């Protein structure tokens, strides 16, 4: 097999520079712009960290990279940024929950998407939720559906970890309104 050395222009490309193409030819900006055209549902992933403080702490994270994987057994997948608090927590805690947010829960999605927050305790303070009986994780009131999951597998994928969870419980707390979606960098309503 003939190997061709990398040209000087591609050999010296610093990783992570958004404007410079990767060796394969697409830049971070180009990829991000293309993927922003894919509408996705918005969920809140939650877990309870029993090691944080005397009563533990509830942790939440907004996610748009969430999908159903299998019906038999019932599996879902969420993509978590490597090294994020949720990624670190789900590596230690086997059960977690997902609330599929309704279009009226834009404020919840925005709140849990904030970067650089010190504690999640205040984020849960004035939103309605119940504690999942199976996972111990918060389940958002007003969500279109809630799932409690147990991690089955973790797959490293670039700068993210794909967490595959077996669905242990599923509930439909409300049927009011439509789903909250994310399209072109903004939360949107269907319709």
């Amino acid at each position: 097999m003939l190997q061709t050395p990398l040209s000087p222009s591609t050999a010296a490309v610093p990783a992570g520079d958004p404007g410079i193409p990767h060796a394969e030819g697409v830049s971070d900006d180009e990829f991000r712009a293309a993927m922003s055209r894919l509408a996705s549902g918005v969920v809140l992933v939650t877990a309870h960290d029993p090691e944080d403080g005397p009563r533990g702490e509830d942790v939440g994270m907004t996610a748009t990279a969430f999908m159903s994987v299998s019906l038999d057994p019932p599996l879902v997948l969420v993509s978590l940024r490597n090294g994020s608090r949720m990624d670190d927590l789900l590596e230690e805690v086997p059960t977690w929950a997902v609330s599929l947010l309704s279009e009226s829960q834009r404020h919840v999605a925005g709140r849990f998407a904030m970067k650089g927050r010190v504690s999640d305790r205040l984020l849960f303070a004035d939103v309605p939720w119940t504690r999942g009986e199976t996972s111990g994780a918060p389940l958002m009131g007003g969500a279109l559906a809630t799932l409690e999951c147990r991690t089955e597998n973790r797959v490293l994928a670039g700068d993210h970890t794909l967490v595959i969870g077996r669905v242990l419980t599923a509930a439909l707390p409300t049927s009011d309104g439509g789903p909250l979606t994310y399209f072109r960098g903004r939360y949107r309503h269907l319709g």
Side-chain angles (χ1 to χ4, degrees), residues 95-156:
T95 56
W96 42 281
V98 178
S99 297
L100 284 66
L101 299 181
S102 70
E103 59 193 0
S104 66
Q105 293 179 304
R106 180 185 298 214
H107 66 288
V108 173
R111 174 183 292 197
F112 285 91
M114 291 188 305
K115 293 185 184 344
R117 60 187 191 260
V118 176
S119 170
D120 286 12
R121 195 174 316 273
L122 295 175
L123 301 179
F124 285 102
D126 63 348
V127 293
W129 60 274
T130 59
R131 188 162 305 283
E133 290 183 25
T134 302
S135 66
L139 305 171
M140 289 294 107
L144 296 177
T146 59
L147 308 171
E148 292 183 87
C149 306
R150 181 184 65 235
T151 299
E152 292 282 304
N153 201 2
R154 295 173 55 86
V155 179
L156 186 62

Side-chain angles (χ1 to χ4, degrees), residues 12 18 32 45 59 62 88 100 102 106 109 123 165-166 171 174 183:
R32 188 175 293 113
V45 179
V59 177
T62 302
D88 292 344
L100 284 66
S102 70
R106 180 185 298 214
L123 301 179
R166 181 180 295 251
T174 184
F183 180 69

Side-chain angles (χ1 to χ4, degrees), residues 64 72 140:
T64 56
D72 186 16
M140 289 294 107

